[in-house]
Amino acid sequence: MKKLLYSVLAGSVLFCGKAEASPGDTTWAQSHTDVQLTSFGDFDAPISFPTGSLTYRKIYMIFELGKYQCPGNPQYCYDWDYTVSTQLMNSNGDTIELGRLITPYADHSLGARMPLTWKGKYVFDVTDYTPLLKNNAHIRVGFSGYSYGFTATVKFAFIEGTPERTVIGLKKLWLNNYNYGHGSIPINTALGNVSLTAPAGTVSAESKITITGHGGDATANAAEFYPNSYTLNLNNNPITTKNFWRDNCGFNNYYPQNGTWVYNRASWCPGDLVHVYSHSLTGITANSNYTISATFPPYTSNPNSSGSQAAYTIQNTVVYYGALNNSLDASIEDIIAPTNEEKHFRANPFVGKPQIEVRNSGGTAITSIKFEYGVDGTALQQFTWNGNLPSLTNTTIALAECATLKTVTAASKFVVKILQVNGQADNDATNDTMNSYFTPAPVWPQSLRLEMKTNGSVGTGGLSENNWKLFDAAYDTIVAQRINNTITTTYVDTVYLNPGYAYKLVIEDEGCDGMNWWVFPYYNPNPGVGYMRVRSLSSIINLPMNGYFNGDFGCGFTQYFTTSGTVSVPEIDVNTALNIAPNPTRDHFTLTIEGFSDAKGTLYLTDATGRLLYKKEILSANTTVNTKQFANGTYILKYQNNKTKAQLQSKIVILD
């Protein structure tokens, strides 16, 4: 193993340079390297973890799923949705699952998205397993496929520093396939009460459940295509009921695929990792004696013509934690846009308001975070987010529009840093910075011809499932749209846009099966093929749209772009801020604009849909707005400076 200084980027780890061991340094360990998954079963490999003498802020397991050319011409080579379970093995051969994913229908006949050289990266946060990830061990990759063509690479990144909470211990309760509604042992009996005692030092505990539904019975196509829920019980009392149906498979970032990838499933989607559901075990502290169980609704599974019946693959692990190590700590967890990371393929290439994920890793509620961000090597700008982020929760934050994203022309690096939390430096600076490499959004003409042909799929109210909307990316306001359309109809629209602006074109499909899909001929009736084409008014050549894939995009498709034309680069003042008080408010608020030598500009108030409700010219850094005319709710307050064109925004809550 070698120690390197790394930057954790959008769930991945990228090399930056050598350094001495210190907070933020990363140690790597690897078990599998392009291991061919040639049969149903287990693929084991040794691994050497660190000794455990150091503390780690985060530990990530990175699973790279690849492809190889199957010998001969077997059916379904690299082209089926198989379960892949990565497990840690102890010396007795017992295992605990560290992560689970489902392979995509990865036949590359659909184009260049998943060629034979394709690598799909799946990142799992395995920090909860810290007590087990030390010294020599074995990693098992369990492959449940009956056709092959996939490879596995498994490596771990140990990032030195202070963890959010120290893991006192953990206990695996269940890891098995459980029959649902059939068999000699009912599932609720198999997942019945387990008696446990929390170890010394426990301050809190959580139950971590991983579940996927499989089989397609004759009763209700359970359990793969059957919406369901489980109830977790603590000391025979229900503490939560979790609906684990995945209703967003049509937004999968690994698309298009050759199979039925858009169909929603029981806690999984083809080509995606399987999420872990965390449940707090309230009241469990050091030496607590308790019981835990899970129950499912009554069900009778009848086999289909091929004998398939319903089953769930479930692991439940209880993790015991010590106290939070920091009182005030915000952590940047991910950069959603701009980035080249494939797990955010649909949101990129990007221009507009950068999207990041932030976690409150401390014990104090966070009400404001001040960020500095921009394209590396250019003048950075600042933005202050205001809201309420409770302890141990995550949120996605849209920063103010990044001006330099509109002018960069080559592959670049985006940087974001937390400067202040609740008006001060937080307790841990090692999780305050993140970088991402990105490709800039394309530049399109100011005048565009948009041609859409709807397919024959009928949506709400008998209208077409297909729509498009064009947004000003800085304000999330609609500047043009084609909605409430007739099926199997061609529409041609012309739009004239501002030079040097950022825009977002969104194409929607209400049925989440795209405008064009290989399954359409099997529908009754066949809806036929629809399409979306965009071109300049002065050209007959269609503009390329990254991720459109001839209409095979599932639930929708988004194209960010800037418009051509000469526009000056705004001079960004790095100390700008938009302060609102009081917030929430009942009848008025006072706005204070910081960081501009000349604060003259325009104030906009929009509702959650982007509808403009109020506009006011600002002549000084302080102004008061009467809110009695607005209904209670959450609104977006936006400010644009006249001189620099810099834009700031914040949420405001208005009460009756």
Side-chain angles (χ1 to χ4, degrees):
M1 296 180 294
K2 58 182 179 179
K3 292 185 177 180
L4 302 167
L5 179 62
Y6 282 77
S7 171
V8 179
L9 159 61
S12 66
V13 185
L14 300 180
F15 172 73
C16 290
K18 294 183 179 179
E20 297 299 322
S22 62
D25 281 10
T26 300
T27 299
W28 284 97
Q30 186 158 341
S31 58
H32 297 66
T33 303
D34 292 326
V35 173
Q36 295 185 356
L37 307 179
T38 56
S39 62
F40 182 102
D42 299 324
F43 297 80
D44 301 341
I47 192 168
S48 294
F49 291 124
T51 62
S53 60
L54 300 175
T55 61
Y56 299 99
R57 178 173 65 82
K58 285 285 188 181
I59 304 176
Y60 292 103
M61 180 178 73
I62 299 97
F63 189 108
E64 288 185 345
L65 184 71
K67 293 168 61 176
Y68 70 93
Q69 179 64 62
C70 298
N73 189 27
Q75 191 177 24
Y76 303 132
C77 181
Y78 40 69
D79 194 25
W80 211 255
D81 48 348
Y82 303 129
T83 302
V84 180
S85 174
T86 305
Q87 304 163 18
L88 175 69
M89 297 176 58
N90 63 22
S91 57
N92 297 323
D94 191 23
T95 60
I96 187 168
E97 186 178 59
L98 302 177
R100 191 184 310 173
L101 63 91
I102 310 295
T103 63
Y105 298 90
D107 190 322
H108 52 273
S109 63
L110 287 173
R113 186 75 198 283
M114 296 183 193
L116 277 174
T117 56
W118 173 78
K119 295 278 189 180
K121 183 162 56 181
Y122 301 85
V123 181
F124 301 87
D125 186 339
V126 294
T127 313
D128 284 336
Y129 301 95
T130 296
L132 305 179
L133 302 177
K134 60 180 64 175
N135 302 317
N136 295 328
H138 280 76
I139 295 296
R140 166 169 290 174
V141 174
F143 180 66
S144 63
Y146 55 84
S147 184
Y148 319 118
F150 290 106
T151 66
T153 297
V154 183
K155 49 191 174 183
F156 294 79
F158 292 75
I159 303 171
E160 293 177 28
T162 302
E164 182 177 87
R165 296 175 287 180
T166 301
V167 178
I168 303 299
L170 63 156
K171 175 69 174 179
K172 182 190 73 176
L173 305 189
W174 317 306
L175 176 55
N176 212 331
N177 297 313
Y178 299 91
N179 294 330
Y180 183 47
H182 67 101
S184 59
I185 303 177
I187 190 170
N188 291 344
T189 300
L191 304 180
N193 273 336
V194 178
S195 297
L196 298 169
T197 301
T202 298
V203 174
S204 61
E206 292 184 9
S207 170
K208 312 278 187 173
I209 295 180
T210 308
I211 179 171
T212 48
H214 304 278
D217 67 9
T219 305
N221 218 6
E224 179 176 346
F225 297 107
Y226 181 66
N228 206 354
S229 62
Y230 62 79
T231 297
L232 188 66
N233 307 290
L234 181 64
N235 294 325
N236 296 314
N237 295 313
I239 59 172
T240 186
T241 296
K242 179 62 181 180
N243 181 337
F244 52 84
W245 181 248
R246 282 288 299 270
D247 62 357
N248 59 353
C249 289
F251 283 113
N252 196 330
N253 280 284
Y254 285 124
Y255 79 98
Q257 299 178 30
N258 198 46
T260 57
W261 64 277
V262 305
Y263 291 164
N264 297 325
R265 289 167 163 88
S267 194
W268 62 274
C269 300
D272 200 4
L273 56 77
V274 177
H275 301 296
V276 178
Y277 303 113
S278 295
H279 307 292
S280 177
L281 302 179
T282 304
I284 302 303
T285 56
N287 304 314
S288 294
N289 296 313
Y290 65 98
T291 63
I292 191 170
S293 64
T295 53
F296 286 75
Y299 183 79
T300 299
S301 177
N302 295 304
N304 67 12
S305 58
S306 62
S308 176
Q309 288 187 270
Y312 291 107
T313 302
I314 305 173
Q315 173 172 284
N316 182 17
T317 302
V318 174
V319 183
Y320 302 100
Y321 301 99
L324 285 162
N325 288 316
N326 290 299
S327 173
L328 184 65
D329 183 27
S331 171
I332 301 177
E333 299 289 297
D334 199 1
I335 297 175
I336 299 169
T339 182
N340 287 335
E341 285 292 313
E342 277 198 296
K343 68 174 182 176
H344 298 308
F345 179 82
R346 286 181 176 271
N348 293 276
F350 174 85
V351 65
K353 297 185 290 187
Q355 310 284 314
I356 64 173
E357 182 183 354
V358 176
R359 178 171 175 81
N360 182 351
S361 293
T364 303
I366 294 175
T367 56
S368 70
I369 307 175
K370 187 175 184 179
F371 297 95
E372 182 178 68
Y373 59 98
V375 177
D376 190 36
T378 68
L380 302 182
Q381 62 191 83
Q382 294 183 358
F383 171 77
T384 299
W385 170 85
N386 295 288
N388 182 35
L389 185 60
S391 176
L392 302 180
T393 59
N394 293 31
T395 190
T396 298
I397 293 177
L399 306 173
E401 183 188 26
C402 182
T404 49
L405 287 179
K406 294 192 293 186
T407 58
V408 65
T409 59
S412 303
K413 182 168 71 171
F414 176 78
V415 297
V416 58
K417 181 179 181 180
I418 293 174
L419 299 180
Q420 291 183 340
V421 180
N422 291 355
Q424 59 186 294
D426 70 1
N427 301 146
D428 188 354
T430 65
N431 56 17
D432 287 348
T433 303
M434 188 172 284
N435 309 321
S436 64
Y437 291 93
F438 70 93
T439 301
V443 178
W444 281 7
Q446 300 171 39
S447 302
L448 297 173
R449 179 180 184 270
L450 289 81
E451 180 180 341
M452 179 178 70
K453 179 184 177 182
T454 61
N455 62 28
S457 295
V458 179
T460 303
L463 299 171
S464 169
E465 293 181 345
N466 309 138
N467 300 296
W468 64 258
K469 298 174 183 177
L470 185 61
F471 293 81
D472 181 325
Y475 292 106
D476 284 333
T477 52
I478 295 175
V479 298
Q481 62 182 348
R482 170 62 66 183
I483 61 175
N484 299 327
N485 305 308
T486 304
I487 63 171
T488 320
T489 303
T490 301
Y491 298 92
V492 179
D493 296 279
T494 301
V495 295
Y496 300 92
L497 306 174
N498 294 318
Y501 271 51
Y503 292 95
K504 176 177 68 173
L505 174 64
V506 177
I507 307 170
E508 301 172 330
D509 185 83
E510 184 182 330
C512 277
D513 53 4
M515 303 177 76
N516 179 17
W517 193 31
W518 69 270
V519 182
F520 283 175
Y522 300 93
Y523 283 19
N524 187 18
N526 180 351
V529 174
Y531 61 78
M532 183 76 189
R533 297 169 182 168
V534 183
R535 65 173 176 83
S536 166
L537 293 184
S538 60
S539 173
I540 61 172
I541 300 175
N542 296 324
L543 293 167
M545 294 187 289
N546 181 61
Y548 171 67
F549 297 115
N550 295 317
D552 188 1
F553 50 65
C555 293
F557 161 76
T558 299
Q559 175 72 61
Y560 289 90
F561 64 95
T562 57
T563 47
S564 58
T566 303
V567 61
S568 61
V569 179
E571 298 176 4
I572 302 299
D573 189 315
V574 298
N575 297 304
T576 57
L578 199 64
N579 295 316
I580 304 169
N583 188 12
T585 182
R586 292 189 182 278
D587 52 13
H588 75 280
F589 66 85
T590 298
L591 175 69
T592 302
I593 303 165
E594 298 179 358
F596 295 95
S597 58
D598 183 354
K600 292 178 182 178
T602 306
L603 187 66
Y604 305 88
L605 186 73
T606 64
D607 62 16
T609 68
R611 183 165 57 99
L612 181 64
L613 303 177
Y614 178 84
K615 179 179 179 182
K616 180 179 181 179
E617 297 301 316
I618 300 297
L619 302 178
S620 66
N622 295 279
T623 189
T624 298
V625 176
N626 189 315
T627 61
K628 292 181 179 179
Q629 59 185 303
F630 305 115
N632 65 316
T634 300
Y635 297 85
I636 304 297
L637 190 69
K638 305 173 184 180
Y639 163 79
Q640 178 168 309
N641 185 266
N642 286 347
K643 180 179 178 181
T644 68
K645 303 304 180 184
Q647 299 167 351
L648 305 175
Q649 76 171 41
S650 183
K651 288 184 180 180
I652 182 169
V653 177
I654 299 176
L655 305 175
D656 287 337

